[in-house]
Amino acid sequence: MALTDHNDVFFGSTDNGWTFALLNRPVAAGPGILTSAGFGPREHLGRTVYLLPPGIRGTAARTGDAIGQLLPHTLDIVELAWTARLPQAAKAPDDAHITVRGSTVSATAAGQRAHAVLTEVGFTAAGDGTLRLADDLDEPDAVGRIVRAEAHLLVEGLQVRVDLGIASPDDLPPAPHS
């Protein structure tokens, strides 16, 4: 399994700017909701991936609308799509940057407030100027800590970007059973 596979619905961004949604469990209304929001379905390595291309107008609104419509069907939704931030937020410098590379989750903080939030959710100093989550965390716990860090940073009015280490839609992980 990959970090993206533990929740009923996972929204994320590729490094090259695609916004994606994965339905990891059957959510009957999910395909219709995602396609109505403009996400195009594509078969990829045993799963259907729903994609919004880079630069499409209204990515934040489309993603938010889809999440709002999915909530009556499941509360198990994770949204870590940096591409789904409002345009003015996307232009601001990041106060925190969380990077996922394989099983390693690291972060950088531009200021004390961001550093405090990251350490509060379990990031610790790595010695190279970055912060890291413990390597022995299981993936669901790591996802939970990333989600909590992102939510807390945003509530604090800080900018955050989560880089999932997925270069393009072709690099999305296969279906969990593959």
Side-chain angles (χ1 to χ4, degrees):
M1 287 188 120
L3 202 68
T4 57
D5 297 334
H6 298 282
N7 304 90
D8 289 352
V9 184
F10 189 99
F11 287 87
S13 301
T14 63
D15 296 348
N16 66 350
W18 289 79
T19 306
F20 67 87
L22 301 171
L23 297 174
N24 294 313
R25 316 278 180 284
V27 179
I33 290 168
L34 291 168
T35 56
S36 291
F39 285 83
R42 176 176 151 201
E43 294 303 313
H44 175 71
L45 300 176
R47 72 183 338 155
T48 303
V49 177
Y50 296 87
L51 297 166
L52 281 176
I56 192 165
R57 287 180 52 90
T59 297
R62 291 169 188 257
T63 304
D65 289 347
I67 291 169
Q69 291 178 40
L70 286 163
L71 283 171
H73 305 281
T74 180
L75 297 177
D76 190 15
I77 300 172
V78 167
E79 188 275 298
L80 294 174
W82 60 265
T83 52
R85 302 288 174 256
L86 295 174
Q88 64 271 22
K91 293 177 185 172
D94 294 327
D95 295 298
H97 192 119
I98 300 171
T99 304
V100 179
R101 293 292 180 264
S103 62
T104 301
V105 181
S106 61
T108 57
Q112 184 54 38
R113 285 177 49 214
H115 188 275
V117 168
L118 292 166
T119 57
E120 184 177 315
V121 299
F123 283 85
T124 58
D128 61 358
T130 66
L131 300 165
R132 288 216 178 108
L133 286 180
D135 290 335
D136 61 350
L137 292 177
D138 63 14
E139 285 179 340
D141 192 20
V143 170
R145 289 172 191 250
I146 294 167
V147 168
R148 285 192 304 279
E150 181 190 46
H152 193 158
L153 288 160
L154 292 171
V155 165
E156 291 285 325
L158 300 171
Q159 297 301 312
V160 59
R161 177 174 168 153
V162 178
D163 176 358
L164 298 170
I166 300 170
S168 74
D170 291 334
D171 299 305
L172 284 160
H177 53 41
S178 295

